[in-house]
Amino acid sequence: MSAPEPPGGRTDGPATAPRTAPDIDPNLLWRAPDRPRRGRRPAFTREAITAAAVALADAEGLDAVTMRAVAARVGAGVMSLYSYAPDKGTLVELMVDHVSGELLPPAPLTGDWRGDLKALAHRQRAQMLRHRWLPAALTTQRTTLGPNTLAVVEHALAALRPLPLDGAAKLEVFSLLTGFVTAQVSHELSRAAATDSPAGAAAAARYLAAVAADGHHPELARALAAPGRPRTPEATFTRFLDRLVDGLDAAPAAGTAG
């Protein structure tokens, strides 16, 4: 972490602006003791604080997570929490890594890199649906790699071992996969929250039918005339994931310029 904010500069409001890399020093965040080195032993731990913040976000959303609200949940004074997380951004870092532990221990690798990668993506989707604040947390601030996240990355890299890609490319594949899952779950959640009326859906269908029939969009007309596919969120996610992962066969081998 960088130097903690001065007390006058802290706020308990939601942190929505992206964080830059110098904001958090991962050496201090992940390798330092989980409790203050001085003073008497506190009645709570960083793990308890993080779990309380996760429970609050699960129940009320990420904006509800404030230092004051989390302190109330663990029965601590607000100022005492700053020894563990000097600001909300750091607390979110802890939360992200905490829920990443749900992906562990990963299923044993089968040697089928496609199947192993797809299984990881499905677990990520289930995790994000349990913690609906997680996609926003991953896209509104730059997160570091805590111990649980590192274990997931290690598993993904091991799954990709059969691919003729160098290490940097394999890290990019993992980033691509996680970005895909995050985007799909974000879309899924926003669609679930939308209130499309039957009349609105019917109007949209009529509009597309008219556009397809106007003679100016032949490719769209052919696409709309194709047989329908299951449109449940799970089925759609699986189809998109299959196209993404299976397409990695066409990725350039290590050392190829790109």
Side-chain angles (χ1 to χ4, degrees), residues 136-208:
L138 293 175
T139 54
T140 58
Q141 79 170 50
R142 182 172 179 175
T143 55
T144 61
L145 299 178
N148 290 327
T149 308
L150 282 171
V152 176
V153 173
E154 183 70 17
H155 175 76
L157 293 177
L160 289 167
R161 191 180 298 122
L163 274 180
L165 300 175
D166 62 24
K170 289 176 181 178
L171 285 171
E172 289 174 347
V173 168
F174 176 73
S175 179
L176 176 65
L177 184 75
T178 302
F180 161 76
V181 178
T182 301
Q184 282 299 118
V185 173
S186 295
H187 177 71
E188 184 177 337
L189 294 176
S190 66
R191 291 294 299 165
T195 55
D196 292 339
S197 67
R206 289 195 301 273
Y207 170 74
L208 282 178

Side-chain angles (χ1 to χ4, degrees), residues 37-130:
R37 297 179 181 179
R38 299 178 181 177
R40 62 184 181 182
R41 187 180 185 90
F44 50 88
T45 63
R46 187 168 74 175
E47 179 72 12
I49 293 168
T50 306
V54 168
L56 182 58
D58 288 347
E60 302 180 34
L62 194 59
D63 286 352
V65 177
T66 66
M67 303 301 276
R68 189 174 304 279
V70 174
R73 282 201 166 222
V74 297
V78 176
M79 294 305 297
S80 64
L81 262 63
Y82 291 119
S83 297
Y84 299 89
D87 52 37
K88 179 173 176 176
T90 304
L91 182 58
V92 174
E93 293 276 322
L94 297 170
M95 294 166 61
V96 169
D97 193 67
H98 179 87
V99 299
S100 292
E102 297 175 5
L103 300 174
L104 305 171
L109 294 175
T110 65
D112 172 10
W113 64 266
R114 295 178 189 81
D116 289 333
L117 213 58
K118 291 175 185 179
L120 174 59
H122 278 286
R123 292 200 304 276
Q124 287 179 313
R125 175 177 177 267
Q127 171 209 33
M128 292 183 194
L129 290 175
R130 286 192 300 272

Side-chain angles (χ1 to χ4, degrees), residues 17-41:
R19 295 174 60 80
T20 56
D23 284 350
I24 294 177
D25 182 345
N27 288 291
L28 294 178
L29 180 60
W30 301 117
R31 300 177 73 88
D34 69 349
R35 65 184 182 88
R37 297 179 181 179
R38 299 178 181 177
R40 62 184 181 182
R41 187 180 185 90

